[in-house]
Amino acid sequence: MSDQNPPVPASPVDGRQAGIRLGALSSGRGSNLQAIIDACEVGKISAKIAVVVSDKSDALALERARRHRLMAVFLNPKEFPTREDYDERMVEILKQQAVDLVILAGYMRIVTPRLISAYPNRIMNIHPSLLPSFPGLRAPKQALEWGVKVSGCTVHFVNETVDQGPIIFQAAVPVFPEDTEASLSARILEQEHRILTQAIQYFAEGRLQVVGRRVIISPGKADDRSEMEKRDEDRRMEKLRGLVDDAAEKLAAEELSFDDARRLIEWTREQVLSLFPDKAETFDLIYKPRFYRILDEKLHRI
Ligand code: GAR
């Protein structure tokens, strides 16, 4: 039986506890990618996105990566005679960027053993159903058509059978009689963002181990915070994202004098620090340079 296999460490083998390098593969909208980017930027996960690769030239995911000054690569399937050749090149790119963990974040292409064997138990996929139910495409539509009352999402390690790798986390959501594919997908998506970023953090902390079909999760440092405190942090994080997005939008779209722009950045900094007094460094090293780059780009467009 597969459980008799020796345990396979799925987390960094060199003992690093922080700062793993991610390769994110996405074919479209990239909201899961965005959740990872945000979580990295605010230090919620100890990782850095080393490269984003898409099989679609117009994927919004590539645009999101560029906006955050991340390496964004369009790898055109038409340029490769076989799927294996495509994945061969993918592995080269990922290895060049010293990627530790590959994330299939809305990646709609089937991956071949070429990629899987290069990253055994180091590729995670997020899927919008409670696997093994509804693998494949348009899982929320399949779930509605089947008439299930509960659906959800699954984050799992990728093995050679599509959507059947060892499950890391799942989250369930109710299905309501009036649901459409869009409303159910949106409810599931919220949970996807949560469990995918959590799975990456657990991997980065070295807490995941694959034993046969199972992923064993070892306990982390005790989190003594109450549920209320955790919810409060989530709310503050949400506000932080809103503040940063609003400022970026204003800086990009509005005709502001340089002084007004600087005042807006400083005001945003104060608001962020009133929410998270310990995020001064994050603000100065990540958000501030991004804001000034927006101004710089605007200046060069004029
Ligand atoms: C997500 O719902 C993801 O679970 C799904 O595609 C969507 C991508 O959204 N993936 C699959 O169906 C893979 N079989 P995103 O581009 O906004 O992250």
Side-chain angles (χ1 to χ4, degrees), residues 26 28-33 105-108 125-128 136-139 163 189 192-193:
S26 175
R29 176 181 57 182
S31 72
N32 275 290
L33 169 71
Y107 187 60
M108 297 308 185
N125 180 45
I126 180 78
H127 184 78
L137 296 176
R138 299 184 73 177
D163 292 335
L189 195 64
E192 291 184 33
H193 298 167

Side-chain angles (χ1 to χ4, degrees), residues 47-119:
K48 175 186 181 348
I49 298 182
V51 61
V52 174
V53 187
S54 183
D55 56 334
K56 303 275 182 229
S57 60
D58 58 352
L60 181 54
L62 288 175
E63 182 51 34
R64 291 182 195 268
R66 290 186 200 107
R67 259 187 240 155
H68 290 265
R69 293 299 190 277
L70 299 171
M71 183 176 177
V73 178
F74 162 51
L75 197 55
N76 188 351
K78 293 205 182 105
E79 287 174 11
F80 298 86
T82 65
R83 283 181 184 276
E84 282 72 19
D85 293 320
Y86 185 87
D87 279 355
E88 182 86 37
R89 178 69 193 122
M90 182 73 82
V91 170
E92 274 173 22
I93 295 172
L94 297 169
K95 295 281 175 187
Q96 273 161 9
Q97 298 310 315
V99 162
D100 300 301
L101 175 68
V102 181
I103 310 295
L104 309 187
Y107 187 60
M108 297 308 185
R109 212 178 145 77
I110 291 175
V111 296
T112 68
R114 185 65 201 88
L115 177 58
I116 297 165
S117 60
Y119 285 94

